[in-house]
């Protein structure tokens, strides 16, 4: 929070939990500890005509110690997805549904195949076409087409690298997402690039 306090007050700071915040197999108390410091672990916020759904992906990765919390969040998610009330709907979560492809094997860095497919289908039905994630510590992601139909508009999973430790060839940085009437675009900037004004 001290570091974030250096950001100008007119720039909203919105956080979501990941494995380094509440653990790989979070308990109810882990989630409550996070909430006591950072606020809600899942929520929705609107910016203009864009509805942004922030998901706590850790219980989806391993619900063994937080069944009730996952059940509550999933019911909330169903409700939020069923009433978009916006021109665009975007999802943010820490763990990506998949690393590169929706049919890849289960891995530490993705959600299980059954969970990922359920979420992708629900997201797509609600009009979500972008899911922004982290977790990989390198830039990754890919496109998912409903029912494998590549003539359909895809859902893009976009994973951004870290501002600190890297597990790939990317440099520390952040992703700038632009929303316009024409659509959503995004670009990853290294911290060095940001210092020279993007």
């Amino acid at each position: 929070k001290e570091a974030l306090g250096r950001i100008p007050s007119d720039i909203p700071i919105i956080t979501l939990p990941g494995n380094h915040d509440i653990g790989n197999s979070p308990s109810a108390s882990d989630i409550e500890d996070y909430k006591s410091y950072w606020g809600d672990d899942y929520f929705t916020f609107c910016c203009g005509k864009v509805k942004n759904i922030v998901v706590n992906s850790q219980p989806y990765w391993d619900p063994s110690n937080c069944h009730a919390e996952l059940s509550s969040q999933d019911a909330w998610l169903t409700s939020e997805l069923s009433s978009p009330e916006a021109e665009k709907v975007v999802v943010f979560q820490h763990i990506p549904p998949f690393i590169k492809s929706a049919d890849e094997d289960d891995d530490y860095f993705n959600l299980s195949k059954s969970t990922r497919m359920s979420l992708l289908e629900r997201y797509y039905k609600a009009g979500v076409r972008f899911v922004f994630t982290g977790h990989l510590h390198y830039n990754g992601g890919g496109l998912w087409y409903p029912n494998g139909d590549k003539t359909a508009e895809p859902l893009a999973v976009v994973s951004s690298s870290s501002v600190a430790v890297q597990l790939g060839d990317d440099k520390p940085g952040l992703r700038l997402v632009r929303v316009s009437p024409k659509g959503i675009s995004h670009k990853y900037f290294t911290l060095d690039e940001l210092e020279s004004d993007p």
Side-chain angles (χ1 to χ4, degrees), residues 132-149:
F132 291 99
T133 75
H135 194 50
L136 303 182
H137 289 255
Y138 59 86
N139 291 313
L143 301 177
W144 177 75
Y145 295 88
N147 302 313
D149 179 7

Side-chain angles (χ1 to χ4, degrees), residues 14 16 42-56 76-77 80-81 83-93 97 119 122-133 153-160 175-180 183-186:
I14 297 169
L16 61 82
Y42 58 87
F43 52 92
T44 297
F45 68 96
C46 292
C47 185
K49 297 179 180 180
V50 181
K51 182 175 183 177
N52 301 276
I53 301 176
V54 179
V55 174
N56 179 358
W76 165 86
L77 181 60
E80 290 299 316
L81 291 173
S83 55
E85 299 173 357
E87 289 186 1
K88 296 178 177 65
V89 185
V90 179
V91 169
F92 296 88
Q93 59 188 61
L119 286 174
R122 292 164 67 190
Y123 290 164
Y124 196 90
K125 184 178 179 181
V128 176
R129 296 297 180 266
F130 284 91
V131 177
F132 291 99
T133 75
E153 182 183 10
L155 184 157
V157 172
V158 182
S159 298
S160 299
R175 188 172 301 277
L176 178 65
V177 179
R178 297 182 188 273
V179 180
S180 73
I184 296 174
S185 61
H186 57 89

Side-chain angles (χ1 to χ4, degrees), residues 29-164:
S29 61
D30 292 327
I31 295 172
E32 285 303 317
D33 284 346
Y34 173 89
K35 290 166 64 176
S36 70
Y37 194 77
W38 292 105
D40 291 336
D41 60 318
Y42 58 87
F43 52 92
T44 297
F45 68 96
C46 292
C47 185
K49 297 179 180 180
V50 181
K51 182 175 183 177
N52 301 276
I53 301 176
V54 179
V55 174
N56 179 358
S57 56
Q58 297 308 131
Y60 286 100
W61 194 81
D62 183 359
S64 59
N65 297 318
C66 56
H67 291 291
E69 287 69 26
L70 175 58
S71 178
S72 294
Q73 179 182 194
D74 202 55
W76 165 86
L77 181 60
T78 296
S79 176
E80 290 299 316
L81 291 173
S82 65
S83 55
E85 299 173 357
E87 289 186 1
K88 296 178 177 65
V89 185
V90 179
V91 169
F92 296 88
Q93 59 188 61
H94 183 67
I95 302 175
F98 57 82
I99 302 168
K100 294 180 179 179
S101 172
D103 61 0
E104 66 197 18
D105 292 336
D106 296 355
D107 188 90
Y108 172 77
F109 288 102
N110 62 21
L111 296 177
S112 69
K113 192 171 291 187
S114 60
T115 299
R116 95 177 59 129
M117 294 311 298
S118 173
L119 286 174
L120 288 171
E121 290 167 2
R122 292 164 67 190
Y123 290 164
Y124 196 90
K125 184 178 179 181
V128 176
R129 296 297 180 266
F130 284 91
V131 177
F132 291 99
T133 75
H135 194 50
L136 303 182
H137 289 255
Y138 59 86
N139 291 313
L143 301 177
W144 177 75
Y145 295 88
N147 302 313
D149 179 7
K150 294 197 174 181
T151 64
E153 182 183 10
L155 184 157
V157 172
V158 182
S159 298
S160 299
S161 194
S162 169
V163 296

